[in-house]
Amino acid sequence: FDSSIVTSSSILVNQDDTLARLSLIKVTEIKGLLYTKMVQAMNRQLDVSFELTQEITELSTDLLTLSRVLGIFLDNAIEAASETEQKRFHIAIVCKVHSVIFHIENSTKPLLFPLEELFKPSKEAHSGLGLPTANMLIANAPELTSNTICENGLFKQILVVSNFKKNYHNKS
């Protein structure tokens, strides 16, 4: 109790403002996922920051697919940030007219191999298959696109959910 609950409670009190912004997300599956991952990051003593200024009431994609991709990106970010001195973990969600952009950024150690290698299956027994799985899911969801950048000690995953319902190219 003392090591888990009391520690979590004190962390949450210090991060109330960060977690309070989650109330702008009305899509419960995504709100729950972000809350869980942010609390995990806080419990690992990461410097957690979260930006969201607009309410999100819907996302035009399969929520299971989106949750799986975001879960992979967030787990990887938490793990990598935990191994650095800076321990930076940042999430920004930007709402545009025709899209919602999830920007996940974390401190990272220098990569010892080309960035592209992260997207190839590398380990047995499921571990290490996260980014290849995320890429496969994104490839099968035309409304999802992603970009990965690693520079200056920061690893950035940008996931865009296009809102085809509001696009005008679907007129017949």
Side-chain angles (χ1 to χ4, degrees):
F1 178 82
D2 287 336
S3 65
S4 297
I5 305 299
V6 173
T7 304
S8 293
S9 297
S10 64
I11 289 169
L12 292 178
V13 167
N14 295 332
Q15 295 291 337
D16 274 350
D17 186 44
T18 299
L19 294 172
R21 282 188 221 104
L22 285 171
S23 66
L24 291 170
I25 302 174
K26 304 304 179 192
V27 181
T28 359
E29 298 87 344
I30 302 307
K31 181 194 300 191
L33 174 67
L34 290 171
Y35 177 83
T36 301
K37 297 304 179 183
M38 287 178 15
V39 169
Q40 284 177 1
M42 291 171 190
N43 283 334
R44 285 185 163 209
Q45 309 302 314
L46 299 184
D47 177 17
V48 176
S49 58
F50 177 63
E51 292 179 59
L52 175 62
T53 57
Q54 285 182 265
E55 188 173 83
I56 298 174
T57 56
E58 68 176 318
L59 292 161
S60 297
T61 189
D62 176 67
L63 293 177
L64 179 58
T65 299
L66 179 60
S67 295
R68 287 182 68 195
V69 172
L70 280 175
I72 290 166
F73 288 175
L74 293 166
D75 284 342
N76 288 349
I78 291 167
E79 186 66 33
S82 296
E83 297 173 358
T84 66
E85 285 184 35
Q86 299 81 11
K87 300 196 179 307
R88 176 179 162 78
F89 177 74
H90 177 74
I91 303 168
I93 304 174
V94 179
C95 301
K96 300 280 187 178
V97 174
H98 297 296
S99 62
V100 175
I101 303 164
F102 292 85
H103 181 109
I104 301 163
E105 184 175 297
N106 59 277
S107 54
T108 187
K109 291 181 176 180
L111 293 181
L112 303 175
F113 43 81
L115 183 62
E116 299 78 36
E117 293 294 315
L118 289 175
F119 298 93
K120 296 179 182 176
S122 60
K123 299 176 188 170
E124 295 181 22
H126 186 65
S127 178
L129 298 176
L131 289 176
T133 299
N135 273 355
M136 180 200 63
L137 291 167
I138 291 167
N140 290 314
E143 68 283 2
L144 298 179
T145 55
S146 72
N147 190 22
T148 305
I149 303 163
C150 186
E151 62 186 9
N152 302 323
L154 293 175
F155 194 88
K156 302 172 188 177
Q157 289 279 175
I158 297 128
L159 180 66
V160 179
V161 180
S162 297
N163 185 353
F164 291 129
K165 290 180 184 176
K166 294 182 182 175
N167 285 345
Y168 298 104
H169 74 275
N170 289 334
K171 288 184 178 179
S172 31

